[in-house]
Amino acid sequence: MASSPASPRAPRRESTRRADFKTVRILLVILALLVGVIVGLVAGILAAATDSTIPGAVATGAVAFGGAVSLAILLQRALGLL
């Protein structure tokens, strides 16, 4: 059983690392937005289910969306991810 020699890895360039970091930041922001959309939808549906008016349910969903996105971004920044 012949062992194949390990192929040397090419060193990663700085531009590739920077591009990877930007991609991760963009994905984290998109994740925060998606969490906000889910929270906003649930809040709006629950508000509509409690005999609230449609504009009231939309306002409730919008406030929940803004709060969830703000919280997600702040948590990511506090953890050093952004």
Side-chain angles (χ1 to χ4, degrees):
M1 193 157 141
S3 63
S4 62
S7 61
R9 286 185 148 186
R12 292 183 64 141
R13 293 180 300 182
E14 185 64 32
S15 63
T16 305
R17 288 186 194 138
R18 174 164 262 122
D20 289 344
F21 183 67
K22 278 185 154 180
T23 303
V24 169
R25 287 179 66 177
I26 291 170
L27 289 174
L28 286 172
V29 170
I30 290 172
L31 177 66
L33 290 172
L34 288 175
V35 167
V37 167
I38 292 169
V39 169
L41 281 172
V42 170
I45 290 169
L46 289 175
T50 59
D51 296 331
S52 176
T53 62
I54 297 298
V58 171
T60 302
V63 169
F65 170 80
V69 170
S70 298
L71 181 64
I73 296 291
L74 287 173
L75 282 175
Q76 290 173 1
R77 287 193 61 145
L79 293 173
L81 298 174
L82 288 181

